Amino acid sequence: MQVRFWGTRGSLPVAARAETVRDKIAQALVAAGGRSFADTAAAHAFIEGELSFAQGHTYGGATSCVEVDVGSGPFIVCDMGSGLREFGLDSLRRCGQEGHAREWHFFMSHLHWDHIMGFPFFVPAFVPGSKIVIHGGHADAEEALRRQQEEISFPVPFDYLRADIEFRTLSPGQDYRIGDVTVSLIGQHHSHSSYGYRFTDSKGKVAVYSTDSEHKIDHMDGEADVVAFFADADLVVCDTMYSLADSVAMKEDWGHSSNVVAIDLCHEAQAKRLALFHHEPTYSDADIERMHAESIRYEELTRETTPLDVVCAYDGLCVEV
């Protein structure tokens, strides 16, 4: 199983401003100390070996879109944020070159705009013969997708799409099969509710996708159902939009969680790896990198048994599960 991140920001897609790119280049030039590089390969080696991630890269700015790839069968995708456009183009390439079926299964955490805004730009939806199945715990998913393509909001109506599109409402506590993958879901704390998903492949590997869910540090005794849902997962993709200070002091009841709470839940669940996800759109690359470093340190200080590997999701990251 591979988990690919096509969009990792929360609430609002963001792009690097001109001065941000300028500052990254300036920092790289200073770090190079007057050295010259024979070719781009040498320059890449310098970036990878001597610059921090935030100096030499970016975490990206597309909103939530994560692919669960088991190597065969239909495509499985969590959410339809702005990262969906790039995934759609890449998946069509793989249909042609790698023999994937022209079938896409979406699992929706919820229906807020940042999680559905990519669908009007999902090219396979315009291709006759494509099959798209949209799964979720919300019975009003079709209404939400149609509404964002009404004329007042978008020039292309939903009915113009040429794919065979089906909506399926799922229930927590039940297992569902998509090809060789078993899927279950859990209700979460968020406006208009949200759902987390647990994917288990034929080899027993488990990836959990849990975003837009608020777990309060002073109510962790009520999270037993979440711990059970995360139990022994090989990868948990978790909403860590805020630092603990922000989640408690300024943004309580906003429907999101912190890096500290995610680590506590994964420790209790004995999960193997945590991916920090749904990054705050006002956080810079340096802010996100600092939170990642603080998360690693907190995991080390609170670890009781097996280490939890803490990675930080970025647009383009691919994790082997």
Side-chain angles (χ1 to χ4, degrees):
M1 181 191 293
Q2 292 183 327
V3 175
R4 297 191 182 94
F5 294 85
W6 297 94
T8 56
R9 288 277 179 171
S11 299
L12 183 74
V14 293
R17 296 168 61 88
E19 56 264 35
T20 302
V21 177
R22 177 201 62 192
D23 289 346
K24 286 180 183 287
I25 294 172
Q27 291 171 14
L29 291 172
V30 171
R35 279 176 286 177
S36 61
F37 303 100
D39 51 32
T40 55
H44 286 162
F46 162 72
I47 292 169
E48 298 299 329
E50 300 189 40
L51 299 182
S52 72
F53 187 90
Q55 289 174 322
H57 305 76
T58 180
Y59 290 93
T63 59
S64 302
C65 183
V66 177
E67 176 189 3
V68 178
D69 184 7
V70 296
S72 61
F75 293 100
I76 296 175
V77 190
C78 298
D79 282 335
M80 301 173 170
S82 61
L84 182 61
R85 179 184 180 277
E86 187 175 355
F87 162 74
L89 295 172
D90 188 76
S91 66
L92 283 176
R93 175 192 62 79
R94 282 186 273 160
C95 285
Q97 297 179 5
E98 301 175 15
H100 274 271
R102 290 182 176 270
E103 185 173 336
W104 291 261
H105 287 257
F106 289 95
F107 291 86
M108 305 302 300
S109 66
H110 65 309
L111 305 172
H112 286 167
W113 190 36
D114 54 320
H115 290 254
I116 66 173
M117 67 195 316
F119 190 66
F121 303 93
F122 183 55
V123 174
F126 294 85
V127 179
S130 297
K131 180 176 178 59
I132 296 172
V133 184
I134 299 167
H135 306 260
H138 300 86
D140 52 356
E142 182 173 359
E143 178 186 353
L145 291 183
R146 285 183 173 276
R147 182 184 298 169
Q148 76 169 344
Q149 289 189 233
E150 291 177 355
E151 186 179 9
I152 195 171
S153 301
F154 196 75
V156 181
F158 187 90
D159 286 333
Y160 185 82
L161 303 177
R162 294 296 176 259
D164 175 15
I165 301 176
E166 177 185 350
F167 291 84
R168 296 180 185 172
T169 303
L170 310 182
S171 299
Q174 296 187 25
D175 289 342
Y176 300 88
R177 292 283 294 181
I178 305 297
D180 292 331
V181 179
T182 301
V183 187
S184 59
L185 68 159
I186 186 173
Q188 303 181 141
H189 303 292
H190 194 74
S191 173
H192 197 60
S193 73
S194 70
Y195 295 87
Y197 295 91
R198 183 180 173 101
F199 302 91
T200 306
D201 71 8
S202 59
K203 299 178 181 178
K205 294 291 186 179
V206 174
V208 172
Y209 179 80
S210 175
T211 191
D212 291 69
S213 182
E214 185 166 8
H215 309 287
K216 296 185 178 182
I217 191 69
D218 54 351
H219 291 98
M220 295 301 286
D221 55 346
E223 299 287 351
D225 58 336
V226 177
V227 172
F229 197 73
F230 288 6
D232 301 313
D234 296 281
L235 173 68
V236 175
V237 180
C238 197
D239 182 335
T240 56
M241 191 167 185
Y242 306 132
S243 67
L244 179 62
D246 281 352
S247 68
V248 172
M250 295 186 294
K251 298 179 179 180
E252 187 175 11
D253 298 322
W254 284 29
H256 299 285
S257 293
S258 72
N259 54 335
V260 167
V261 167
I263 291 167
D264 288 347
L265 289 170
C266 286
H267 270 165
E268 190 171 353
Q270 298 185 28
K272 298 177 181 65
R273 182 179 292 174
L274 165 68
L276 309 180
F277 182 73
H278 206 268
H279 308 309
E280 160 66 44
T282 65
Y283 286 0
S284 68
D285 288 325
D287 293 332
I288 297 172
E289 184 173 66
R290 184 164 48 251
M291 178 184 281
H292 185 202
E294 292 169 353
S295 301
I296 292 172
R297 182 58 177 155
Y298 178 78
E299 189 281 327
E300 293 171 345
L301 292 172
T302 57
R303 180 190 307 160
E304 294 183 357
T305 54
T306 306
L308 171 69
D309 182 23
V310 181
V311 301
C312 194
Y314 60 85
D315 297 3
L317 174 66
C318 180
V319 176
E320 295 280 348
V321 178

